[in-house]
Every structure is written in structure tokens, then in C-alpha cells.
Amino acid sequence: MQTSPAGTRQAPGPVRPARTARSDGGPEAPPPAPDSPPGPARSAVRRFGLPTATALVMGNIIGGGIFMIPAAVAPYGTVSLLAFAVLTAGAIALALVFGRLARRDPRTGGPYVYAREAFGDFAGFLAAWSYWITTWVSNAALAVAAVGYLTVLWPAVGRSTALAVGCALTLQWLPALANLAGTRYVGAVQLVATVLKFIPLVVVSVAGLTAFDPANLGPFDATGDGWAGGMTAAAAILLFSYLGVESAAMSAGQVRDPERNVGRASVLGTAGAAVVYLLGTLAVFGTVAHDRLVHSTAPFSDSVNAVFGGSWGGTAVAVAALVSMTGALNGWTLLSAQAPYAAAKDGLFPAVFATERRGVPVFGVLAGVTLASLLTVLDFASGAKAAFDTLVLVTTFTATVPYLLSTAAQLYWLLRGDRDRVVPARLARDVTLALAAFAFSAWLVAGAGYAAVYQGVLFLLVGVLVHTVLAARRRTPSVDTGTGTAGSGEGAPAAGAPCGGTTV
């Protein structure tokens, strides 16, 4: 794990080297983080290579939703494929921005680190708080959905609430135990799970394309309200298909050579997920008649049965979905601990979240899986379904807050740079890319809906109260250290931080 970012509340130490503006139009590069080199204390910690980091991104993006996407967008016609293409472009723009931000600051915490360094403690806390809520609530939702697929393979699960709860908790705690075993096991599980989910989905997609019948596609604009309206409506359903694009940036401290590999893994993982999404959706569109697909509850199963014959498609898809969701739970369990870990190192989360063993934030993993488990039990409890649904709805908003803050941070670093030391063509390119990523993030907020935004803001207000208490407890009298001021106010520049985009 990375140590805390240098900040004005840090204990006195050596003066950090000055930052200089980059010549490629990106934000100025910082000096290496104090713990970037794998010193003796960290040499035993296994870091992710590019393949594992890519698997983390792809595995977190592709959960269980892919198996219902074709039926969900079928009512809008094949214009939904155009919506997928537009969203893919936005997601890749966001992945590129995360890669550039990680090149500038390759520390664990991703969006939290970027927001805090650009806009101060409060923005950083909001990024960490909203991301933390998103991860453990999403894990509960994944486990509940996985139990639904498990009932296909083991019907007794559907007849016993106690058995269903036990299976859901098992699906959550097994990935948590893999995380607690260390980054080596996390990476191994993630890589294997991604391969096991990727291969069958690609095989089914390719086989579906060989049996593709254009007559099954249905109309381009099935709603009759104009293709633009249909594309927008389909996009609102598909918007959250790419949540997880930030996975490598969030775990940058566990990635080897993060300045290069985080960006590559983000783009490769997003592109790989896009290929699976698009091929799978197109294959189902071409093998299942449109009027049947609109009402299908298992579109991939229907496609498998249409291509290969028989009725074993439901079993095959259930197995693939369980593998897919288990891999996603493994990756999201790791991410549930990363933002609180980085924030705790800076005093913005309770200090216990900074507890680390074998390169993994132990308390963060345990806290995340415990909260997810309690929420899962709440879902199965009589009369508590509405509370569970509300929390899941909230995550469609809280998931977007770190994206907005990260892309805004990238714009901030670009626009405050020394124009005399920036190549104008590259600056224009990177600003355009950051604006596209910001627009994509804002589109995610709009797609969340009024109820999710309203209730999500209420959760952020609870976070404001938590931040207030923690800020009051950690504030100390000013002490002149020569390099910074301990106990300085909110948003004060970090020691050695750039003051105007030129060499400090």
C-alpha cells in the first residue's frame, strides 16, 4: 500500500523536490511519492502486472448486468447499438483521463487522491465517502443477484430464505478472504475469474454471429418517437454498464509501474468489456426474434438455445453469471477498502481504516464486507426490501461523484499550467479529452434520475457531518515546521505543491 500523500498536516520531513510543468499538455508531474520505490519493507508485497490490472478493470465492469442488457434495450430497437457505441467512446475518454491522472500521481486512492490534491480535503473526502458507499452497497446487490442465478443450478435455494441468505453471505465472504490473504491472491482470483467469464461470453457471441439472421433485428427505431429519443432512452439504461473504469487508478499503489500501466489497463479493460458487451448484444439481437426478445427474462439463454439447440442454455448462462459476479465481488471488495485507506492516511477517515496486512487494507475489507452482509440480510428480511432498493438506487448517483471530481481535477491541472511550456496542440487535445470525460460523467448523473440524485445528496450530507467531526478532532494548533504548517486550514496547498504551474 502507498503511504499518505504529502500534505500540510504531515510531520516535518525532508523538503520534497519541486514539481515542474509537463511539456505534453498534461498536468505537471509530481516528484515520486515517498513510498513509490519498493523498499525492503514492501519487497514481499506482490504487485499487479498489466494483465492483472486489466483483468481488475474488465472484471469489475462486467458483472451480472450483461446477461440482461439485450432484453433491456430491445424495446428501443437497434438504435441501442448506436447508444452503446457513444457510451463506449465516453468510457474510453474517462479511462484515458484516469491514466493521465495516475501518471501524474500514482498513489492508492485514485479519485480521492486527485480530488484532494486539486481542490482540498473536503472534495477529497466527498470522493472517498461516495465511492465507499457505492462499493459496499454494490457488493450487496451483486450477491443478491448472484443468488438469483444460483437458484437455476440449485432450486432449493429459492425455497428457503435461510439457505438463500447463507449462499449470499458465502459469495461475499469468500472474495473477502481472498483479499485478506494478500494482493497476490486477489490478483490470481481476479485473473482466473476474468478469463473464465470472458471466454464463454466470447464463444457464445461468436457462435451467435455465425447464426446471425438480420430478420431477427427488428426496426432501427422501435419506439417510433425518433431515433434520437430512442438512443437517449437506451443510453439511460446502459449508462452504468461501464462503472469500474477507475479500478486500476483506485488500486494504483498495488500496480507495478503505475505511471504507465494504470492508463493502459484502464483503456484495455474498458475496450475489452466494450467488445464483450457489443458482440454479445449484437449476437442476441441476431439470434432471438425481436418480438420475443422484448419480453425475454433470459436473453442469453434464449440465444444459446437458438444457436445450439436444446434447453441447456439457462444452466450455461447461470454458471457464467455466477463466475462473472464472483470475479466482480472479488475486485469490488478490494476497491471498497482503497478509498478509505488513502483517506485515513490523511486523517480524513478514521485511522483504523489505514490498517494494512500483506498489502491489503484489512479493516477496510472487513468493514466493507460486514456492511454488505448486513445490507444483504436486510434485503431478505420481511418488510425491509424497500430500504435495500433505496440504497441500491442511491449508488447510481454516488458512483458518479468521484468521476466528476476526477475529470474536474484533470481540467484544473491542465488549465492552470504554464502556457509557455505547453505544446498548444497537445493541450487542446487533452482539454478536449477531459471535457468529453466530464460530459460523460455529467451524463451519468442525469441518467441516475431525480430520485437517485435527491437521495444521494442526502447521503452526501451525512458525509458532511462525518467530515466535520473528523476535521474538528484532528485540528491542532499551528506549528511552524519550516516546510509547512501543521493543523493548517482546509484546502491548503500540500508541501511542495505547485503554486502556478511552473517550477516551484
Side-chain angles (χ1 to χ4, degrees), residues 7-104:
T8 55
R9 285 183 292 278
Q10 300 286 342
V15 177
R16 296 172 66 182
R19 304 185 186 197
T20 57
R22 285 176 46 180
S23 60
D24 65 350
E28 55 266 40
D35 57 335
S36 292
R42 295 184 54 85
S43 57
V45 177
R46 179 72 67 90
R47 294 196 176 195
F48 302 149
L50 179 60
T52 303
T54 302
L56 181 65
V57 175
M58 187 182 300
N60 285 355
I61 290 176
I62 302 176
I66 183 175
F67 299 100
M68 285 304 299
I69 281 177
V73 298
Y76 304 101
T78 53
V79 70
S80 56
L81 296 174
L82 181 59
F84 237 138
V86 173
L87 290 172
T88 299
I92 290 179
L94 188 59
L96 288 169
V97 167
F98 277 122
R100 281 158 171 72
L101 286 166
R103 187 183 306 167
R104 179 183 184 278

Side-chain angles (χ1 to χ4, degrees), residues 130-131 133-134 393-402 452 456 459-460:
S130 58
Y131 196 83
I133 291 173
T134 300
L393 180 66
V394 164
T395 63
T396 61
F397 169 73
T398 57
T400 65
V401 174
F459 268 77
L460 291 186

Side-chain angles (χ1 to χ4, degrees), residues 42-313:
R42 295 184 54 85
S43 57
V45 177
R46 179 72 67 90
R47 294 196 176 195
F48 302 149
L50 179 60
T52 303
T54 302
L56 181 65
V57 175
M58 187 182 300
N60 285 355
I61 290 176
I62 302 176
I66 183 175
F67 299 100
M68 285 304 299
I69 281 177
V73 298
Y76 304 101
T78 53
V79 70
S80 56
L81 296 174
L82 181 59
F84 237 138
V86 173
L87 290 172
T88 299
I92 290 179
L94 188 59
L96 288 169
V97 167
F98 277 122
R100 281 158 171 72
L101 286 166
R103 187 183 306 167
R104 179 183 184 278
D105 202 334
R107 291 176 291 177
T108 292
Y112 157 76
V113 172
Y114 314 143
R116 178 177 183 260
E117 188 167 350
F119 307 121
D121 286 353
F122 184 61
F125 174 83
L126 286 182
W129 175 260
S130 58
Y131 196 83
W132 182 58
I133 291 173
T134 300
T135 51
W136 58 263
V137 173
S138 296
N139 279 353
L142 271 172
V144 171
V147 169
Y149 285 101
L150 185 60
T151 57
V152 176
L153 305 175
W154 189 9
V157 174
R159 297 191 293 266
S160 171
T161 301
L163 184 58
V165 171
C167 290
L169 296 181
T170 300
L171 287 168
Q172 291 174 348
W173 280 91
L174 286 179
L177 293 176
N179 274 263
L180 293 173
T183 54
R184 176 181 182 180
Y185 296 95
V186 177
V189 171
Q190 194 65 26
L191 191 59
V192 171
T194 300
V195 170
L196 289 178
K197 80 167 74 172
F198 185 77
I199 290 178
L201 284 171
V202 170
V203 169
V204 170
S205 299
V206 172
L209 292 177
T210 61
F212 190 89
D213 183 357
N216 289 325
L217 289 177
F220 179 71
D221 174 25
T223 64
D225 297 329
W227 67 269
M231 186 182 75
T232 302
I237 295 175
L238 298 170
L239 275 173
F240 296 93
S241 301
Y242 288 107
L243 290 184
V245 65
E246 76 292 342
S247 299
M250 182 61 72
S251 302
Q254 286 72 47
V255 178
R256 288 198 298 269
D257 192 10
E259 292 88 345
R260 298 179 61 193
N261 285 337
V262 166
R264 293 177 177 181
S266 298
V267 173
L268 290 175
T270 304
V275 169
V276 173
Y277 278 146
L278 289 169
L279 284 181
T281 303
L282 185 60
V284 173
F285 273 20
T287 53
V288 181
H290 179 261
D291 56 349
R292 182 184 175 193
L293 181 59
V294 169
H295 303 288
S296 175
T297 58
F300 268 86
S301 297
D302 292 341
S303 179
V304 169
N305 293 337
V307 174
F308 298 102
S311 58
W312 54 273

